[in-house]
Amino acid sequence: KICIMEYELDEMRQQMAMLKDKLDNQAIVNDRFIRRSMRESVSTINKRYLIVSVLALVMIPYCYWAFVLLNGLSLGVWIAVVVMMLAVVGFCYFNGRALRDPELMNASLVEAKRKVTKAKKRDNDWLYVGIPMAMAWVVWVAYEMAQKTGSNAIVIGCVAGAIMGAFIGLKVHFKTQRHYSDVLEQIEELEKEA
């Protein structure tokens, strides 16, 4: 009887060891999967920052042509565009800097979470700068266009363009915020497993 009990006990130990190995492998696979998913979300944010930066740089010569050469607006309108677009490029570079760090997803979870949380907050805080800046510029353009043409129809066009631009910009902003939230949720998932 003792021999049978020892055999059963030994068999149970082997099964427990196999189960523990399977669970350890499962945790490793899950960790890799979550980190890969985090990399993809961070990559999407960085691509979005790159696209916004390129579009901002393209807007500089385009706005000179459209506002100064084509419509005869003041050089000040274009200089304001240059300042705003360079601010956008600077912000995208500065805020994406921590996310471009190749070691971010291999760093400690606390450090990665801190960097991503900080970048998410800065991205959200940018609205407090960008929206008033854009609104002031649209009012300026509408005023100059109305003075030049003597028509209020152009003001309606400026307002319609501003509304469309705000809609697109906010849609991109909220998608980016959602990607930041996804990364933070994935970091928290890894913290639970650790």
Side-chain angles (χ1 to χ4, degrees):
K1 254 184 170 182
I2 294 175
C3 200
I4 293 173
M5 286 180 73
E6 282 183 30
Y7 174 75
E8 288 176 355
L9 199 58
D10 192 43
E11 192 174 308
M12 285 175 66
R13 282 188 193 119
Q14 288 175 357
Q15 289 176 353
M16 288 297 287
M18 286 175 35
L19 184 60
K20 185 180 179 306
D21 286 345
K22 282 185 181 181
L23 287 175
D24 287 346
N25 288 338
Q26 180 80 19
I28 291 170
V29 169
N30 197 27
D31 180 74
R32 285 183 188 151
F33 175 75
I34 291 174
R35 286 187 188 268
R36 184 169 18 125
S37 181
M38 286 168 45
R39 274 197 249 338
E40 288 170 6
S41 291
V42 166
S43 176
T44 300
I45 294 169
N46 280 325
K47 284 176 189 169
R48 192 163 289 139
Y49 281 153
L50 178 64
I51 290 168
V52 167
S53 294
V54 168
L55 289 175
L57 291 173
V58 167
M59 289 301 292
I60 293 172
Y62 171 77
C63 286
Y64 182 78
W65 172 78
F67 295 122
V68 177
L69 297 179
L70 194 62
N71 289 300
L73 297 183
S74 72
L75 203 54
V77 168
W78 179 71
I79 290 170
V81 167
V82 171
V83 169
M84 287 187 301
M85 295 303 117
L86 290 177
V88 167
V89 170
F91 169 78
C92 288
Y93 174 78
F94 178 74
N95 206 43
R97 174 179 78 196
L99 301 177
R100 286 188 299 275
D101 180 2
E103 292 302 311
L104 176 67
M105 294 305 129
N106 298 327
S108 76
L109 295 176
V110 173
E111 182 64 18
K113 186 176 184 179
R114 186 186 67 75
K115 286 181 178 182
V116 173
T117 300
K118 203 172 185 181
K120 180 182 181 189
K121 183 181 180 330
R122 271 195 307 260
D123 187 75
N124 201 45
D125 289 349
W126 171 251
L127 291 181
Y128 298 116
V129 174
I131 289 176
M133 194 167 52
M135 287 174 61
W137 180 79
V138 167
V139 168
W140 184 5
V141 169
Y143 174 77
E144 279 203 24
M145 291 294 277
Q147 293 296 314
K148 187 159 183 58
T149 64
S151 168
N152 287 337
I154 199 71
V155 173
I156 294 169
C158 286
V159 169
I163 290 171
M164 285 177 22
F167 176 77
I168 292 168
L170 287 173
K171 189 174 180 180
V172 168
H173 170 75
F174 290 126
K175 270 187 172 181
T176 303
Q177 286 292 303
R178 202 166 33 250
H179 281 288
Y180 274 120
S181 294
D182 289 347
V183 172
L184 290 171
E185 286 172 15
Q186 291 161 349
I187 289 172
E188 287 170 6
E189 186 70 30
L190 284 173
E191 284 177 332
K192 287 178 189 174
E193 290 178 8

